[in-house]
Amino acid sequence: MPRRISYDPLPKLGPSVNEPVMVHLRLPPPDGIIERHRHTWGQLVYPRQGSIRVSTPGMMWIVPLFRAVWIPPGIEHEVVMLGRVEFHALYVEPKAAPLPLDACSVIEVSALMRALTHTLASDAVASRRHRQLAMRLLIEEMREAPSLPLGLRLPDDRRLRALCTAMMDDPGCARTLAEWAPVIGASERTLARLFQTELQTGFGVWRRQLRLARAIDLIGRGIPLAEVAAELGYANTPAFSTMFRQALGFPPSHLANSGESLH
């Protein structure tokens, strides 16, 4: 388990009616963590290097390259860097928000969205009018972006949350639920019941979804499929590929070859 380094990004200049999108480039330390906090504005976070893990009450997302997580105003969230990361944080005025104000989501980041974000973050826009046009176009790109089902439910129960957190830090861990029970301090039967009542799924299914999210992260970084399979606890690449295809409908090699789309 990596040692997390607390990171407090500055500046935190928020958006306004006249400047509805404020873009910041963040350069956190490897394995850095932005502790739980909330904003009065909406926020879109996407990595331009590496991957991040975003947690809110009840949900978690692993966000790789070319994807972004939308966090509405007022929602408490934590951001964890998975290794070395650079990311853009887009602060969005709630009245101009192009995405729902009551739920988080993950969207694809188009080449145009990346170009507009880079331009606004670098203050390379020559005039105020051009800056306003770039913000409007960026908001429209966010509105039209396809969403992706990359969320993973998290429990409220302290014992089950401790188990899920440990698994998120080591998705390839081969421990069975019976082997986790003494580590967590609850019986196997209790943990199995909690998975059903709190997450509406079983231990094996939840772990598979976690591994799938981590796989998308690793493949997006260009890690060979054999290494991805080994890190996630699969005996070989075919076993991993079978799980991936059953979950998403296409083999992991498709994502490795395209690098730009999950479709």
Side-chain angles (χ1 to χ4, degrees):
M1 182 187 305
R3 185 177 68 87
R4 301 296 179 192
I5 301 171
S6 183
Y7 168 64
D8 186 10
L10 294 172
K12 292 190 177 73
L13 300 176
S16 66
V17 174
N18 294 327
E19 298 268 333
V21 182
M22 293 295 293
V23 182
H24 300 286
L25 174 62
R26 305 302 193 196
L27 306 173
D31 297 315
I33 177 171
I34 303 175
E35 305 286 352
R36 291 191 173 274
H37 65 288
R38 66 186 76 204
H39 304 291
T40 58
W41 51 75
Q43 182 177 207
L44 191 75
V45 182
Y46 82 85
R48 72 172 198 176
Q49 176 183 322
S51 300
I52 60 176
R53 189 175 78 207
V54 177
S55 301
T56 65
M59 288 293 292
M60 182 276 284
W61 297 262
I62 292 180
V63 188
L65 289 172
F66 311 125
R67 315 292 182 263
V69 62
W70 166 251
I71 306 166
I75 291 186
E76 185 180 62
H77 57 283
E78 173 190 83
V79 183
V80 174
M81 316 305 148
L82 302 177
R84 185 173 297 279
V85 174
E86 296 180 4
F87 70 93
H88 278 113
L90 286 67
Y91 298 155
V92 183
E93 165 62 35
K95 293 180 180 178
L99 295 167
L101 292 175
D102 59 352
C104 297
S105 60
V106 173
I107 63 172
E108 289 194 18
V109 179
S110 67
L112 178 55
M113 193 185 303
R114 295 198 300 273
L116 291 166
T117 298
H118 175 76
T119 298
L120 289 169
S122 62
D123 291 324
V125 184
S127 69
R128 178 179 175 82
R129 177 174 176 273
H130 284 170
R131 184 173 179 82
Q132 291 290 330
L133 290 172
M135 289 180 187
R136 289 183 199 170
L137 184 54
L138 179 56
I139 287 172
E140 287 307 307
E141 280 293 290
M142 293 166 59
R143 193 188 315 276
E144 297 298 321
S147 61
L148 301 165
L150 296 185
L152 192 66
R153 290 178 63 91
L154 296 177
D156 291 324
D157 182 87
R158 173 185 53 81
R159 296 160 296 177
L160 190 57
R161 192 175 188 89
L163 172 54
C164 290
T165 299
M167 292 170 65
M168 285 190 292
D169 285 330
D170 185 11
C173 180
R175 279 178 176 155
T176 65
L177 195 59
E179 291 169 333
W180 274 113
V183 177
I184 299 302
S187 70
E188 178 185 5
R189 192 173 190 176
T190 295
L191 291 175
R193 175 180 56 79
L194 287 170
F195 266 103
Q196 292 296 335
T197 57
E198 295 236 345
L199 302 179
Q200 290 78 57
T201 191
F203 168 76
V205 173
W206 192 92
R207 182 171 62 182
R208 185 184 65 184
Q209 287 299 111
L210 171 63
R211 289 175 171 177
L212 180 65
R214 183 63 166 164
I216 292 170
D217 158 37
L218 295 173
I219 295 170
R221 300 190 201 192
I223 305 298
L225 294 183
E227 293 183 27
V228 175
E231 179 165 335
L232 296 181
Y234 290 89
N236 51 54
T237 304
F240 164 69
S241 296
T242 297
M243 179 280 294
F244 195 100
R245 182 191 287 273
Q246 289 175 344
L248 291 182
F250 58 84
S253 57
H254 174 80
L255 180 57
N257 293 334
S258 69
E260 285 285 335
S261 177
L262 283 173
H263 301 304

